[in-house]
Amino acid sequence: MKGLILVGGFGTRLRPLTLSKPKPLVEFCNKAMVLHQIEALAAVGVSEVVLAVNYQPHIIEEFLAKESDKLGIKITTSLEDEPMGTAGPLKVAEKHLNDGEPFFVLNSDVTCDFPFQAMIDFHKKTGAEGTLLVTKVDDPTKFGVVLYDDAGKIDQFVEKPQEFVGDRINAGIYLLSPGVFDRIELRPTSIEKEVFPVMAKESKLFCMELPGFWADVGNPTDFRSGTTLKLASVRDAAPDTLASGESFEGNVLVAPDAVIGKGCRIGPDVVVGPGCVVGDGVRLVRTTLLAGARVGSCAYVSDSIIGWASKVGEWARLSNGCVLGEDVTIKSEVYATGATVLPHKSVSADILSPKIVI
Ligand code: GDD
Ligand code: MG
């Protein structure tokens, strides 16, 4: 079996992190976003994953070359000369993808427990041409909304509806039979607007409700809430991989080589990346420290993302959705709320209301 991951776009909503690396390589819970997906595909026997890229292919290729050996899975990139949308890339990669078997297609910014084997079984059982995962959200307007019957047969697929249609949405994870290639022309085109509505009309599109959590982690707010959901799922599936001890509260993931000082209170919902150094008496809440970040003694950081190799000074206080790019310095005792700081900047004055530091 094969799989394709849609890795296009510039990841602008995840800036300033995506100023340093392409979105699929940004670590979510200490693992590149795309690796969560590739590992789950490999686990159900997918032998080749095609990454449909229109931006920075070399960086992605270099990173994945190493992973490909480790996982024993072939990873290729399919480069578009111009952005081909969400269906065009399937046609571009048809010769790699089409081996006569159904294949997986994933949006690169979604995460869940990836029930791929259940999708394969369901797809066989229904004889569908396409099987989608659906999940329930509070605000369906940003998504593709799906209406379906008790058997999972989709009657209607409406991308980004302006008026309320339903609250079950396309989770961005599909299993498609090769017949779909005949429906796609070699041009920029949207699978959600031009392909799925037609398949639904022909009763060839089915869906499965996603058990467990789902998150689109393509912007900092969703990245943080997605981290909370993912860590809760890790708590159920592999509790031993989470940190334990008197410094930790709730679900906390700490890379094995990270250094944590004395008298800290860390958690809930905190991720400490590889090579991070956390000083004594630090308080961290709902925060991700990306690789190599350092937090000085007695600093307080909540609801924030601290970029690679950034430094938060002693007694500094960051809260309310701060996002620091790579190699940012926050001087000692600085207070910042809702600050977005571009890579390599140094902040020495308080930031009292949300702003972007460029
Ligand atoms: N290769 C390639 N080329 N990939 C692309 C292109 C392109 O031109 N344009 C978008 N993509 C990729 C994005 O990187 C992402 O992985 C995926 O296609 C979907 O694009 P988004 O821009 O993230 O779409 P969305 O989040 O607004 O909506 C999509 O995802 C929702 C779930 O998060 C749709 O599939 C919705 O129906 C769905 O509910
Ligand atoms: Mg998206």
Side-chain angles (χ1 to χ4, degrees):
M1 278 187 99
K2 301 203 177 182
L4 176 133
I5 305 179
L6 289 160
V7 189
F10 296 100
T12 48
R13 287 173 291 180
L14 202 55
R15 278 186 190 156
L17 303 177
T18 44
L19 294 172
S20 297
K21 36 173 109 172
K23 181 166 70 173
L25 300 192
V26 172
E27 298 86 356
F28 172 73
C29 294
N30 282 350
K31 189 182 289 181
M33 285 191 200
V34 75
L35 258 193
H36 288 276
Q37 302 180 322
I38 294 175
E39 286 184 6
L41 288 168
V44 291
V46 169
S47 57
E48 179 173 356
V49 175
V50 180
L51 299 177
V53 200
N54 57 24
Y55 167 65
Q56 296 184 329
H58 307 304
I59 301 176
I60 294 180
E61 279 166 6
E62 206 174 291
F63 172 82
L64 289 172
K66 295 180 208 133
E67 300 300 329
S68 151
D69 292 343
K70 274 193 243 161
L71 289 168
I73 186 170
K74 188 170 170 197
I75 303 174
T76 46
T77 46
S78 164
L79 183 61
E80 294 148 47
D81 298 332
E82 59 167 329
M84 291 294 271
T86 49
L90 275 65
K91 197 72 181 170
V92 175
E94 180 175 357
K95 62 175 185 308
H96 281 300
L97 268 182
N98 193 353
D99 60 1
E101 292 288 312
F103 57 95
F104 285 101
V105 175
L106 274 66
N107 288 351
S108 62
D109 52 5
V110 296
T111 190
C112 62
D113 288 329
F114 302 114
F116 292 142
Q117 187 56 50
M119 285 178 83
I120 295 170
D121 298 342
F122 181 85
H123 194 75
K124 276 191 195 139
K125 193 181 85 192
T126 58
E129 190 175 321
T131 296
L132 323 183
L133 287 181
V134 295
T135 189
K136 184 169 176 283
V137 292
D138 294 333
D139 176 14
T141 55
K142 300 189 289 179
F143 301 105
V145 173
V146 180
L147 295 181
Y148 52 97
D149 67 15
D150 291 344
K153 184 167 70 64
I154 298 176
D155 303 314
Q156 239 186 306
F157 186 104
V158 192
E159 183 65 11
K160 317 256 158 70
Q162 295 305 302
E163 285 168 13
F164 185 83
V165 182
D167 60 2
R168 302 299 153 122
I169 62 115
N170 167 26
I173 298 171
Y174 324 127
L175 182 59
L176 305 175
S177 289
V180 166
F181 290 115
D182 299 334
R183 300 177 178 274
I184 304 171
E185 290 170 27
L186 191 61
R187 61 175 171 87
T189 161
S190 158
I191 201 161
E192 298 88 349
K193 292 186 184 148
E194 301 184 55
V195 181
F196 289 158
V198 180
M199 288 171 73
K201 210 174 267 172
E202 293 174 13
S203 301
K204 294 197 168 141
L205 197 60
F206 281 67
C207 65
M208 253 182 64
E209 287 183 20
L210 182 56
F213 85 103
W214 176 83
D216 177 331
V217 290
N219 68 57
T221 306
D222 295 340
F223 183 97
R224 284 186 286 108
S225 55
T227 301
T228 296
L229 296 172
K230 172 73 183 172
L231 291 179
S233 157
V234 173
R235 166 70 63 196
D236 288 339
D240 294 348
T241 56
L242 295 178
S244 58
E246 60 179 16
S247 302
F248 303 105
E249 210 175 289
N251 300 329
V252 177
L253 186 65
V254 178
D257 67 348
V259 178
I260 309 278
K262 294 189 200 80
C264 293
R265 264 178 74 206
I266 298 181
D269 305 328
V270 167
V271 176
V272 179
C276 288
V277 179
V278 175
D280 296 342
V282 165
R283 178 83 180 106
L284 301 175
V285 187
R286 292 181 299 274
T287 285
T288 289
L289 307 185
L290 292 168
R294 305 172 82 91
V295 180
S297 301
C298 302
Y300 171 96
V301 185
S302 77
D303 302 286
S304 295
I305 304 172
I306 309 300
W308 308 274
S310 283
K311 293 179 203 71
V312 176
E314 294 178 4
W315 293 96
R317 193 179 170 88
L318 305 183
S319 61
N320 190 28
C322 288
V323 186
L324 312 187
E326 180 182 13
D327 179 37
V328 163
T329 301
I330 304 287
K331 298 281 190 190
S332 299
E333 295 175 37
V334 163
Y335 170 91
T337 178
T340 296
V341 186
L342 266 58
H344 316 298
K345 296 285 157 191
S346 179
V347 177
S348 49
D350 291 350
I351 297 174
L352 302 174
S353 57
K355 76 165 192 176
I356 301 176
V357 179
I358 48 177

